[in-house]
Amino acid sequence: CKEKKYNYENLPSTSVVIAFYNEAWSTLLRTVYSVLETSPDILLEEVILVDDYSDREHLKERLANELSRLPKVRLLRAGKREGLVRARLLGASVARGDVLTFLDCHCECHEGWLEPLLQRIQEKESAVVCPVIDVIDWNTFEYLGNSGEPQIGGFDWRLVFTWHVVPQRERDLMQSPIDVIRSPTMAGGLFAVSKRYFEYLGSYDTGMEVWGGENLEFSFRIWQCGGTLETHPCSHVGHVFPKQAPYSRTKALANSMRAAEVCMDEYKELYYYQNPWARMEPFGDVTERKMLRANLQCKDFKWFLETVYLQNKGLNGYCFDYNPPNENQVDGLQVILYPCHGMGQNQFFEYTSKKEIRYNTRQPEACVAVEEGKDDLVMHLCEDHVPEDQKFILHE
Ligand SMILES: [Mn+2]
């Protein structure tokens, strides 16, 4: 990465957009100063700070005074609490750069972080590019970096973001260790996108409140509507991962439901299966977002799952399939291999930290254990000390 040369004249310029709500003075200013100190002058159009109606004293006059002495820094104030999505869009609406670079308000940009992001977008306008997120220690604020290789983003059926190691098939596509890595989802706050492409994609769902869910919804939409989401291994930005959420995030549920309703087609049932209480919650009107999806002729969620996220389609198209026992059956548990129908339900199994593949983790009925050093999978009741005669071997 250090040897890579960039032709600054050819790269697009960027507006860095940072929304904040009641952020601490030190972390917010650290973010701003690090952007100014590590971004080549010719590439940085401006830094736009959006105050999402904070009430802490230090973020009022004192902040305005501090920032007025800095070049390129603009401060916008929301007139009411807008939440992350609308606050970011407020910043984007006044941005003058070719590329929008969104950052959280508790980051530290690392030398050389910006050039790879802009270079990639110049190469491919429909690429949305994330930096590698380094860790800043929550207690000492020390920049710890990131041990090992970058990871890519995924999600589970509760619509919680998950990290994954780069799969072999993706490694095989890379011609160099500093190539971009395609990622099914993004963790959240940190990415660069062409301003024009962001608008074409329908920016963010403004029906989302406060925080949460917008990262997965945007990730799904990027892929389904023709773009790519990537991580650039040469771009590093440190981020403070808080131990607990600094403010209430109860709106995240409704936001996730909007993501499920708009993007996930029949697979939203898997989300509701994992969040049964969500069925009772209001999530607002998504008609416009569905129309946007139709107008852009976006692909369906099945395509996203099969092409972008999951490339393992079971054992040659066969999946575990659980048939609940009826009274006449003596041998109780019936797990068979059956052609994958892709709808979850009786083919919905989860791999647990106990190294078991479980059916119905909320009310476990049946487990498939992977036994060390054996090729066979063992099926048993989900209890400890299962007698030998209650185990079932599944042969491929
Ligand atoms: Mn953050």
Side-chain angles (χ1 to χ4, degrees), residues 104 106 239-240:
D104 274 9
H106 31 260
H239 173 261
V240 183

Side-chain angles (χ1 to χ4, degrees), residues 161-224:
F161 174 85
T162 52
W163 290 108
H164 302 270
V165 294
V166 179
Q168 190 56 44
R169 66 186 142 84
E170 190 61 29
R171 272 175 222 280
D172 294 343
L173 286 175
M174 293 170 69
Q175 288 168 358
S176 134
I178 60 168
D179 273 357
V180 289
I181 305 164
R182 296 183 309 162
S183 178
T185 70
M186 68 165 87
L190 287 55
F191 64 94
V193 60
S194 144
K195 185 169 196 268
R196 196 165 52 173
Y197 192 64
F198 188 58
E199 282 158 10
Y200 164 83
L201 278 180
S203 67
Y204 268 133
D205 174 1
T206 53
M208 290 191 175
E209 305 287 338
V210 191
W211 180 94
E214 79 291 332
N215 58 327
L216 293 185
E217 190 275 338
F218 188 46
S219 305
F220 298 157
R221 186 150 43 88
I222 292 165
W223 283 110
Q224 287 176 262

Side-chain angles (χ1 to χ4, degrees), residues 18-19 85 103 134 144 233 259 267 280 308 318 343 373 376 382 385:
I18 301 165
V85 160
L103 292 180
D134 287 344
L144 295 179
Y267 292 89
M280 326 288 277
V308 181
Y318 283 80
M343 290 295 293
D376 295 326
C382 291
H385 314 299

Side-chain angles (χ1 to χ4, degrees), residues 2-180:
K2 283 181 177 168
E3 284 165 14
K4 207 161 169 190
K5 296 275 178 283
Y6 297 91
N7 186 352
Y8 289 167
E9 305 290 321
N10 290 341
L11 295 182
S13 68
T14 190
S15 298
V16 175
V17 178
I18 301 165
F20 63 92
Y21 170 71
N22 279 351
E23 186 66 22
W25 178 263
S26 58
T27 43
L28 180 62
L29 269 291
R30 181 178 183 174
T31 311
V32 176
Y33 281 110
S34 79
V35 172
L36 294 174
E37 286 171 13
T38 58
S39 307
D41 189 54
I42 189 169
L43 302 179
L44 183 68
E45 176 69 35
E46 61 200 342
V47 180
I48 302 171
L49 286 168
V50 186
D51 172 15
D52 188 13
Y53 209 54
S54 301
D55 50 28
R56 292 202 185 163
E57 207 48 46
H58 66 262
L59 297 172
K60 296 177 181 174
E61 272 305 301
R62 188 180 162 204
L63 180 69
N65 287 337
E66 176 84 13
L67 298 179
S68 68
R69 297 187 286 113
L70 300 176
K72 299 191 180 187
V73 179
R74 304 163 70 187
L75 174 62
L76 302 182
R77 309 260 197 199
K80 60 177 172 60
R81 186 79 198 277
E82 296 287 0
L84 179 71
V85 160
R86 292 195 300 268
R88 284 185 159 189
L89 289 180
L90 181 61
S93 71
V94 302
R96 295 179 288 227
D98 308 315
V99 168
L100 298 167
T101 302
F102 293 101
L103 292 180
D104 274 9
C105 48
H106 31 260
C107 289
E108 182 183 321
C109 299
H110 197 276
E111 201 67 47
W113 73 288
L114 186 58
E115 295 91 324
L117 304 178
L118 299 180
Q119 154 102 57
R120 180 56 184 156
I121 288 168
Q122 196 233 6
E123 260 168 40
K124 184 174 185 235
E125 200 187 0
S126 62
V128 179
V129 196
C130 302
V132 176
I133 305 176
D134 287 344
V135 176
I136 297 176
D137 187 275
W138 153 257
N139 286 307
T140 62
F141 294 98
E142 182 187 359
Y143 198 107
L144 295 179
N146 207 320
S147 60
E149 303 189 289
Q151 295 195 308
I152 61 168
F155 62 96
D156 65 22
W157 291 114
R158 293 169 300 160
L159 290 187
V160 170
F161 174 85
T162 52
W163 290 108
H164 302 270
V165 294
V166 179
Q168 190 56 44
R169 66 186 142 84
E170 190 61 29
R171 272 175 222 280
D172 294 343
L173 286 175
M174 293 170 69
Q175 288 168 358
S176 134
I178 60 168
D179 273 357
V180 289

